[in-house]
């Protein structure tokens, strides 16, 4: 009987150890319990780069429809970048076509006291981006949902390319671009946008679940 209890205890210990190792929090920036998993390292790199360029204007397409509880599934970027904006005198514009997504994201923005630093815009992202007049420091593309359906995949990829083109003229030499859901079958959301950007003198800085791009002539010198 003793050996059975030992094996059971080891099994339970292994299970929780595995969970702990996989858990990728942004602590101390965000509470430890939120697991950002496959986006943690790219979020950290983007926040570091934003500090370097003293980012002021952040645009996100596709808002945090599950609030912070969607950290592992959707990313919760509205709240992550909103909190960064609060600590660094910046501002997040998050745009979404779905009223429900906007309402849910707004609830979390209220709960986190981020209203002064985040505005949720209810609009098609393309209309919003075409009408946006300021220079953009971080562009985060994460709207049209990707799926296993090849037709949906193509539409999502085309939409993200159109988003990039719609705001391209508002990007400057040291703008940062992050695209979500890329490490997926058939190239993910970023396939066409990244292909276009690479022809326009952008370079990939991190190639993971999210792809991070900077201009070839991104200049740390100019910032010092
Ligand atoms: C994956 S979620 C965004 C997750 C969010 N970025 C986060 O970090 O939690 C995708 C969102 O894109 C929105 N969306 C889809 N098509 C859109 C469009 N044409 N314009 C704006 N938003 C769109 C959906 O309504 C959905 O809420």
């Amino acid at each position: 009987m003793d050996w059975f209890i030992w094996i059971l205890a080891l099994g339970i210990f292994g299970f929780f150890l595995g969970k702990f190792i996989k858990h990728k929090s942004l602590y101390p920036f965000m509470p430890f319990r939120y697991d950002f998993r496959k986006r943690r390292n790219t979020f950290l790199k983007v926040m570091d780069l934003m500090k370097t360029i003293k980012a002021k204007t952040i645009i996100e397409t596709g808002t945090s429809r599950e609030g912070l509880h969607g950290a592992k599934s959707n990313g919760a970027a509205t709240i992550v970048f909103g909190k960064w904006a609060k600590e660094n005198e910046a501002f997040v514009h998050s745009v979404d076509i779905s009223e429900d997504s906007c309402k849910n994201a707004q609830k979390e923005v209220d709960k986190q006291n981020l209203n002064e630093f985040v505005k949720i815009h209810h609009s098609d992202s393309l209309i919003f981006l075409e009408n946006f007049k300021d220079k953009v420091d971080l562009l985060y593309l994460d709207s049209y949902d990707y799926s296993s359906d090849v037709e949906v995949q193509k539409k999502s990829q085309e939409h993200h390319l159109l988003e990039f083109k719609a705001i391209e003229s508002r990007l400057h030499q040291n703008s940062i671009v992050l695209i979500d859901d890329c490490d997926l079958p058939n190239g993910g959301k970023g396939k066409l946008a990244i292909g276009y950007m690479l022809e326009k003198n952008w370079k990939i800085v991190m190639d993971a679940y999210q792809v991070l791009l900077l201009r070839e002539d991104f200049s740390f010198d100019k910032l010092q």
Side-chain angles (χ1 to χ4, degrees):
M1 198 58 192
D2 269 4
W3 60 266
F4 175 75
I5 291 173
W6 270 107
I7 289 178
L8 187 68
L10 271 176
I12 293 171
F13 176 74
F15 174 78
F16 284 107
L17 182 67
K19 271 195 162 278
F20 182 75
I21 290 169
K22 275 196 210 150
H23 187 88
K24 303 274 188 260
S25 87
L26 287 172
Y27 186 80
F29 178 68
M30 300 296 276
F32 181 80
R33 65 180 179 280
Y34 296 110
D35 182 3
F36 291 90
R37 199 62 64 100
K38 54 201 173 201
R39 299 179 179 89
R40 196 260 303 258
N41 291 346
T42 24
F43 277 169
L44 284 173
K45 178 74 180 172
V46 163
M47 290 191 281
D48 193 40
L49 280 166
M50 286 203 290
K51 270 229 155 65
T52 309
I53 68 163
K54 300 187 175 65
K56 292 291 162 229
T57 304
I58 297 166
I59 291 189
E60 172 189 41
T61 66
T63 200
S64 289
R65 58 184 163 194
E66 293 180 1
L68 258 178
H69 292 289
K72 193 159 85 178
S73 51
N74 284 315
T78 317
I79 306 305
V80 173
F81 295 143
K83 183 142 190 279
W84 188 91
K86 182 176 185 173
E87 292 180 5
N88 293 276
E89 294 168 29
F91 197 87
V92 178
H93 296 274
S94 182
V95 58
D96 204 294
I97 200 165
S98 147
E99 204 174 336
D100 280 349
S101 295
C102 290
K103 274 188 192 154
N104 289 341
Q106 187 60 56
K107 257 190 226 157
E108 190 72 51
V109 167
D110 294 344
K111 195 169 156 195
Q112 303 295 330
N113 285 318
L114 293 174
N115 270 305
E116 268 180 67
F117 311 94
V118 179
K119 184 165 166 57
I120 312 282
H121 303 262
H122 181 209
S123 160
D124 184 303
S125 56
L126 296 180
I127 296 172
F128 174 81
L129 293 170
E130 272 155 18
N131 290 308
F132 195 82
K133 297 286 176 262
D134 296 340
K135 289 284 174 203
V136 178
D137 298 306
L138 169 66
L139 174 66
Y140 180 47
L141 302 183
D142 183 21
S143 61
Y144 203 125
D145 283 313
Y146 204 71
S147 84
S148 52
D149 180 326
V150 176
E151 282 313 304
V152 174
Q153 293 178 354
K154 282 186 191 149
K155 284 188 178 150
S156 173
Q157 290 168 342
E158 278 159 15
H159 185 77
H160 289 90
L161 170 62
L162 291 176
E163 284 186 341
F164 180 79
K165 287 183 174 174
I167 196 75
E168 188 174 1
S169 65
R170 298 285 160 209
L171 299 172
H172 54 79
Q173 186 185 351
N174 288 329
S175 293
I176 303 159
V177 176
L178 183 67
I179 310 180
D180 198 44
D181 299 318
C182 288
D183 188 16
L184 289 172
N186 300 321
K189 289 180 177 176
K191 184 179 174 185
L192 297 181
I194 294 167
Y196 175 81
M197 290 174 77
L198 294 179
E199 281 173 12
K200 294 273 204 145
N201 295 328
W202 288 79
K203 62 181 177 200
I204 294 175
V205 175
M206 275 181 91
D207 193 356
Y209 187 75
Q210 300 178 305
V211 174
L212 171 59
L213 300 108
L214 297 176
R215 283 196 198 274
E216 297 268 8
D217 60 353
F218 180 96
S219 160
F220 283 104
D221 298 346
K222 260 187 127 183
L223 298 163
Q224 279 146 19

